[in-house]
Amino acid sequence: MNMLKSYCGSSWFLRGPNSPVLPFNSRNTYCKVQPTAARLDVRLQSNSSVAVKHRKSIDDVRSLRFITAVKTPYLPSGKLDLESYDNLVNIQIANGVEGILVAGSTGEGQLMTWDEQIMLIAHTVNCFGDKVKVIGNAGSNCTKEAINATEQGFAVGMDAALHINPYYGKTSNAGLVAHYNSLLPVGPIIIYNVPSRSGQDIPPSVIEILAQNPNFVGVKECVGNERAKMYTDKGIVVWSVDRLSHTARWDCGAVGVQSVASNLVPGLIRELMFGGKNPTLNSKLMTLFDWLFIEPSPIALNTALAQLGVIKPVFRLPYVPLTLEQGVGFVNLVKEMGRQHFVGEKDVQVLEDDDFIIVGRY
């Protein structure tokens, strides 16, 4: 396969929680993926060295309080826009993110080829792996594909893999155990339980079996905080999602959040996870959390980032932008919360339908 090349460059800006726009100039800073990490068919390291790396990685990943499920931006052609992607990740790092989830459902891994997905993981590791932990989405409803993607992701240097349970063609509880037991020997795995996407809840009986494997890192749990509390009481590491994260973190023992909203307000999400119980801030953020899911995610996030001017207004089908009325709602939300909390340096704007590019062949 062709070697993967990428660069991290261009000027970027951020707005901290209570600070003016700060410039960062990274012109002429290039990240070239090393040949051994760039080939998608690269072989894994020796079993002993991999085991040592994975053990350290598991311990590090389990401590992450603030992970952003980063958006993947596109060029007008529909190809990946790595310059804008690097800008988004740099903003996250400047605002204290500890981990980046690459090509999850928010990052639209479901709309990528496997080559694109592994390339983006490799690019993220090469450009940012010394600053944040990199978690790669390698989930599939086909166990063979999930194994292959997980092997390739670890070959290019990711710290852990995120795995949803098989969707559409669902399996039994015994099948879930067998599916994950086929993946866990490859390396550190975070299990993602999101029945609204998969159509199937992963029950505690399955998680408790899988948690006995040394490569089980933890679970990203979307069912609710009662479930999160039950797991943490048993020593199972849990990450929550935006709407549940404050209570999960401070009342139920969850280690932190894998956030969608932090693409927009990373400083506020960090404060929510690091600053102690803060029901006032949580209440302030709840309107944004709800707005981000007025349509299936990541439609609202994609529209919002385009309105903030930090990505190009390009959508890969089957996603299409929010309506004009919904876009106006976001402008009002930004004004209510304070523009200084949101990413980007431009004024938030309403985009007309004709401002968006929708790509079907990519």
Side-chain angles (χ1 to χ4, degrees):
M1 295 191 180
N2 292 332
M3 250 188 338
L4 307 172
K5 294 184 179 179
S6 57
Y7 68 93
C8 300
S10 85
S11 300
W12 58 278
F13 298 84
L14 64 99
R15 290 180 183 266
N18 296 295
S19 63
V21 175
L22 300 176
F24 175 90
N25 192 324
S26 58
R27 286 195 193 115
N28 302 321
T29 301
Y30 293 89
C31 284
K32 293 187 177 179
V33 179
Q34 297 300 317
T36 54
R39 298 183 182 276
L40 301 185
D41 57 351
V42 66
R43 293 185 178 182
L44 294 174
Q45 307 166 49
S46 68
N47 289 338
S48 59
S49 63
V50 169
V52 172
K53 177 183 184 298
H54 284 175
R55 183 68 259 159
K56 183 176 186 302
S57 182
I58 289 171
D59 293 339
D60 289 344
V61 173
R62 281 178 176 161
S63 69
L64 301 179
R65 290 163 286 182
F66 179 19
I67 300 168
T68 292
V70 71
K71 154 69 181 167
T72 305
Y74 305 114
L75 298 167
S77 64
K79 301 299 183 184
L80 305 189
D81 182 354
L82 292 180
E83 184 175 358
S84 295
Y85 177 84
D86 293 341
N87 179 47
L88 292 176
V89 176
N90 275 321
I91 291 172
Q92 294 299 315
I93 292 170
N95 281 275
V97 77
E98 298 174 310
I100 292 291
L101 170 59
V102 182
S105 53
T106 302
E108 300 180 24
Q110 63 273 18
L111 304 186
M112 296 180 190
T113 65
W114 282 117
D115 281 4
E116 284 180 314
Q117 197 157 328
I118 302 302
M119 179 280 292
L120 192 59
I121 293 170
H123 174 84
T124 309
V125 169
N126 190 62
C127 292
F128 308 106
D130 61 336
K131 301 179 181 70
V132 291
K133 294 300 176 184
V134 177
I135 301 161
N137 172 31
S140 173
N141 56 358
C142 170
T143 303
K144 177 183 176 181
E145 288 197 4
I147 292 170
N148 289 341
T150 305
E151 290 175 340
Q152 291 175 1
F154 283 122
V156 299
M158 70 183 182
D159 296 288
L162 183 75
H163 276 279
I164 196 170
N165 49 307
Y167 46 88
Y168 186 63
K170 297 181 288 185
T171 186
S172 62
N173 287 348
L176 289 175
V177 172
H179 172 77
Y180 283 114
N181 276 337
S182 297
L183 296 166
L184 283 161
V186 182
I189 303 294
I190 298 171
I191 293 175
Y192 184 18
N193 186 33
V194 55
S196 63
R197 288 194 183 275
S198 69
Q200 181 183 33
D201 180 30
I202 306 174
S205 59
V206 169
I207 295 294
E208 289 165 12
I209 291 171
L210 299 174
Q212 299 172 34
N213 189 295
N215 277 341
F216 174 89
V217 180
V219 58
K220 179 180 179 181
E221 182 57 72
C222 299
V223 166
N225 285 330
E226 183 177 345
R227 178 81 61 88
K229 183 68 164 61
M230 181 181 68
Y231 286 149
T232 60
D233 284 348
K234 296 181 179 182
I236 295 172
V237 172
V238 174
W239 287 272
S240 191
V241 291
D242 285 321
R243 204 175 196 284
L244 304 173
S245 62
H246 180 262
T247 300
R249 170 87 170 102
W250 301 111
D251 294 330
C252 301
V255 66
V257 67
Q258 295 187 23
S259 177
V260 175
S262 56
N263 282 276
L264 300 174
V265 289
L268 295 183
I269 301 302
R270 179 178 171 83
E271 186 177 345
L272 197 69
M273 291 296 100
F274 285 79
K277 290 188 74 169
N278 191 337
T280 301
L281 176 59
N282 189 52
S283 178
K284 177 179 180 178
L285 284 165
M286 202 58 66
T287 303
L288 176 62
F289 294 160
D290 290 342
W291 182 88
L292 282 167
F293 288 86
I294 56 174
E295 297 289 358
S297 182
I299 292 171
L301 174 64
N302 296 355
T303 306
L305 287 169
Q307 289 183 250
L308 290 165
V310 294
I311 66 169
K312 298 172 181 65
V314 181
F315 279 69
R316 282 184 172 185
L317 284 174
Y319 298 130
V320 296
L322 295 179
T323 65
L324 181 63
E325 181 181 0
Q326 290 168 325
V328 170
F330 178 67
V331 171
N332 293 335
L333 180 59
V334 171
K335 291 178 179 177
E336 178 183 337
M337 292 182 64
R339 178 64 183 88
Q340 73 274 14
H341 297 303
F342 287 79
V343 298
E345 62 169 339
K346 299 178 180 178
D347 290 336
V348 62
Q349 60 182 326
V350 176
L351 297 178
E352 303 284 345
D353 290 345
D354 292 343
D355 293 324
F356 290 98
I357 298 170
I358 301 175
V359 184
R361 291 181 180 271
Y362 43 82

